[in-house]
């Protein structure tokens, strides 16, 4: 076996850097392959060592395959990725982290962020539930966008009530199964931490995830916005807290120690959005989360049933940050999760 000189994370960075100087179709191919590298199920170096072809990997054709083989043969010097691409795990890397501690993944009982055809997702509630059952989950929270986020097909109070009825019907028809589908929402928060839905509608839900989707490029400190969101009595979990996107947006700045301390005091949770391009909270912030003992929620932000697999990125980040198991709300059995959410 050839030594594992470059990981998929290294290759992703090399591809992203090539994209910066390439043009046209080639630029797009490099950029797309960089993002795909985060989801390759195996290390490219291992594939080659086994005599397999790199075109097995998503985003890789003959041209890029040759490029990557060249890098693996003669590794260029490693450089730290720029902040826009720093602190992201790959699926292959996450699996390595999780394989070293198999008990950790077994503690997971559900996924607390996903979208369906009710807003901008591609799977129905039943399809998301079927994918969750395949993963052996006890529960999932359906968190479609709320009405203020029109671009993502956000739903209003009337549609939310119809969706809750569909969820109730599913749960009743599947009583004998282990899985419960929870009614939830990804409540769109204003920069003042206020939601865009009637409070009476939110009170009907099992759980409320609140997220910022606007003014995400501000460069000044946003601590006050986070404190306001955490103090919003209707929000249980703050979704994708920083609002960062791989190679696109850095996310907001705040005094995270203060933010996490406030969340811990109020027993609110912050999320690890495990979508590969987000991974938000990231490892650096999770280390502060560990110190402050704040609750953490894991969500995939899945928009397709297959994307429930993204949870491994969040699980691995939590493990790597050495969070304690009782910090993680998705490790609770369902009654514990619901009584936590109803305690506010
Ligand atoms: Zn969101």
């Amino acid at each position: 076996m050839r030594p594992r000189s470059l990981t998929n994370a290294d290759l992703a960075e090399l591809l992203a850097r090539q994209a910066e100087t390439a043009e046209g179709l080639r630029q797009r191919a490099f950029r797309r392959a960089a993002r795909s590298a985060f989801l390759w199920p195996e290390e490219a170096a291992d594939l080659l060592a086994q005599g397999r072809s790199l075109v097995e990997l998503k985003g890789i054709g003959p041209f890029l395959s040759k490029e990557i083989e060249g890098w693996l043969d003669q590794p260029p010097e490693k450089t730290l990725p720029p902040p826009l691409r720093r602190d992201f795990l790959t699926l292959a890397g996450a699996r390595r982290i999780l394989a070293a501690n198999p008990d950790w993944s077994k503690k997971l009982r559900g996924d607390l962020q996903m979208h369906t055809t009710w807003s901008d997702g591609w799977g129905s509630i039943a399809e998301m539930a079927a994918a969750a059952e395949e993963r052996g989950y006890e529960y999932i929270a359906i968190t479609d966008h709320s009405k203020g986020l029109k671009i993502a097909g956000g739903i209003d109070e009337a549609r939310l009530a119809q969706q809750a009825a569909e969820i109730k019907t599913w749960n009743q028809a599947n009583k004998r199964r282990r899985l419960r589908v929870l009614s939830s929402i990804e409540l769109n928060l204003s920069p003042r931490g206020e939601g865009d839905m009637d409070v009476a509608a939110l009170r009907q839900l099992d759980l409320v995830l609140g997220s910022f989707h606007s003014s995400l490029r501000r460069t000044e400190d946003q601590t006050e916005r986070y404190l306001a969101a955490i103090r919003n009595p209707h929000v249980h979990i703050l979704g994708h807290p920083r609002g960062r996107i791989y190679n696109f947006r850095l996310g907001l700045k705040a005094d995270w120690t203060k933010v996490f301390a406030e969340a811990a005091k109020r027993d609110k949770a912050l999320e690890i959005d495990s979508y590969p391009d987000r991974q938000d909270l990231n490892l650096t912030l999770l280390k502060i989360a560990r110190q402050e003992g704040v609750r953490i929620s894991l969500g995939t932000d899945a928009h397709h049933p297959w994307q429930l697999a993204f949870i491994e990125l969040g699980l691995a980040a939590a493990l790597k940050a050495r969070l304690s198991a009782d910090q993680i709300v998705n490790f609770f059995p369902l009654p514990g999760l619901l009584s936590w959410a109803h305690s506010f």
Side-chain angles (χ1 to χ4, degrees):
M1 294 256 290
R2 167 197 317 233
R4 181 151 55 213
S5 48
L6 295 175
T7 64
N8 288 353
D10 299 325
L11 294 173
E13 180 54 25
L14 289 166
L15 289 162
R17 251 187 273 160
Q18 287 294 90
E20 285 169 352
T21 51
E23 281 174 5
L25 282 179
R26 214 155 253 200
Q27 179 178 54
R28 273 178 35 210
F30 274 121
R31 198 179 293 152
R32 203 175 320 126
R35 290 182 64 221
S36 296
F38 285 92
L39 286 180
W40 292 341
E42 296 171 76
E43 295 290 348
D46 290 348
L47 243 71
L48 274 193
Q50 293 162 19
R52 289 155 66 192
S53 163
L54 297 183
V55 301
E56 274 186 42
L57 301 170
K58 190 169 176 248
I60 299 303
F63 168 72
L64 288 182
S65 169
K66 237 174 122 190
E67 200 87 352
I68 292 173
E69 280 184 46
W71 290 329
L72 288 169
D73 270 339
Q74 288 189 327
E77 213 166 306
K78 284 194 192 190
T79 55
L80 192 64
L84 266 183
R85 298 196 292 263
R86 201 174 297 167
D87 203 353
F88 287 86
L89 297 175
T90 65
L91 189 60
R95 286 182 175 167
R96 211 163 37 243
I97 293 167
L98 293 173
N101 193 339
D103 287 344
W104 186 253
S105 302
K106 285 186 203 142
K107 293 181 198 291
L108 181 72
R109 293 169 189 263
D111 185 330
L112 297 178
Q113 190 190 168
M114 66 190 65
H115 301 267
T116 71
T117 47
W118 282 88
S119 66
D120 60 348
W122 294 83
S124 64
I125 288 170
E127 285 164 341
M128 297 310 279
E133 285 197 301
E134 269 176 44
R135 305 188 67 82
Y137 287 164
E138 277 175 43
Y139 49 78
I140 51 171
I142 301 294
T143 55
D144 279 302
H145 291 288
S146 61
K147 64 184 178 187
L149 204 62
K150 299 231 161 38
I151 192 171
I155 57 178
D156 62 12
E157 289 80 358
R159 299 259 300 149
L160 184 64
Q162 287 166 23
Q163 183 188 55
E166 184 181 323
I167 289 173
K168 199 170 165 197
T169 305
W170 191 93
N171 282 327
Q172 273 168 355
N174 294 281
K175 255 191 203 134
R176 286 167 187 280
R177 296 176 189 256
R178 184 166 184 242
L179 183 77
R180 289 283 74 98
V181 179
L182 305 180
S183 281
S184 185
I185 196 164
E186 185 179 3
L187 181 68
N188 194 35
L189 298 176
S190 76
R192 288 182 310 283
E194 290 159 354
D196 61 344
M197 299 287 277
D198 287 346
V199 166
L202 298 179
R203 286 215 184 95
Q204 303 298 312
L205 301 173
D206 294 310
L207 204 60
V208 175
L209 175 89
S211 309
F212 295 116
H213 296 104
S214 57
S215 307
L216 296 175
R217 288 191 179 271
R218 299 236 171 114
T219 51
E220 65 275 23
D221 179 279
Q222 299 290 305
T223 304
E224 287 310 314
R225 150 186 336 210
Y226 288 106
L227 296 180
I230 285 161
R231 288 169 187 158
N232 181 329
H234 309 291
V235 174
H236 305 130
I237 301 167
L238 187 63
H240 51 71
R242 286 177 65 192
R244 74 167 185 167
I245 304 278
Y246 175 79
N247 215 7
F248 176 70
R249 191 173 62 216
L250 209 44
L252 298 172
K253 275 194 218 113
D255 178 342
W256 294 104
T257 304
K258 202 167 166 185
V259 170
F260 293 161
E262 183 70 17
K265 190 174 110 192
R266 291 175 188 263
D267 206 23
K268 300 289 178 85
L270 283 98
E271 186 189 47
I272 306 178
D273 184 310
S274 312
Y275 204 86
D277 285 351
R278 289 191 179 271
Q279 304 194 38
D280 175 11
L281 301 169
N282 62 336
L283 198 57
T284 311
L285 294 190
L286 285 171
K287 287 177 184 164
I288 306 175
R290 181 189 68 214
Q291 283 159 14
E292 296 303 320
V294 64
R295 292 199 192 277
I296 295 292
S297 171
L298 301 176
T300 52
D301 206 346
H303 286 68
H304 287 270
W306 69 267
Q307 293 180 340
L308 294 188
F310 295 166
I311 203 73
E312 288 176 278
L313 293 169
L315 275 169
L319 183 60
K320 211 172 164 192
R322 295 192 292 114
L323 293 185
S324 99
D326 43 76
Q327 267 180 281
I328 299 179
V329 296
N330 329 41
F331 287 2
F332 297 170
L334 183 59
L337 177 74
L338 292 178
S339 68
W340 168 67
H342 294 155
S343 66
F344 298 102

